[in-house]
Amino acid sequence: MAADGGNRAVRLSFTKERRHKEALQGAAFLISIAMRLIADIDGPRHGLIRVSPQNLESLAKSLAG
C-alpha cells in the first residue's frame, strides 16, 4: 500500500513536471513567432507581410502640394 502511494506520487510529479515543461516550451514558441511577425512587418521592403504606408503617402502629398 505504501509502495503504491509512492509510485503514484512519483508518477504524478513526473506528469506535472512534464506538463510544465511543455507549457513553457509552448509559450517560448509563441513568443518567438510573435517577435518574428513583428520583425517581418518592420522590414517594409522584404518579408511575407506587406503593409502600405498610406498615412505617410497622404502626408507627403499634402506637404508637396
Side-chain angles (χ1 to χ4, degrees):
M1 186 129 178
D4 186 41
N7 187 12
R8 286 184 187 183
V10 168
R11 194 171 5 146
L12 184 62
S13 68
F14 176 72
T15 56
K16 282 187 178 181
E17 182 180 321
R18 184 174 175 192
R19 286 182 193 160
H20 179 68
K21 187 175 181 182
E22 290 172 355
L24 191 60
Q25 288 175 345
F29 179 73
L30 289 176
I31 290 170
S32 67
I33 292 295
M35 291 179 72
R36 174 67 178 120
L37 289 173
I38 290 170
D40 190 46
I41 291 173
D42 195 35
R45 304 217 185 260
H46 58 281
L48 297 173
I49 302 171
R50 306 274 180 185
V51 178
S52 70
Q54 293 175 355
N55 57 350
L56 294 177
E57 290 172 356
S58 65
L59 177 65
K61 285 179 184 177
S62 69
L63 291 176

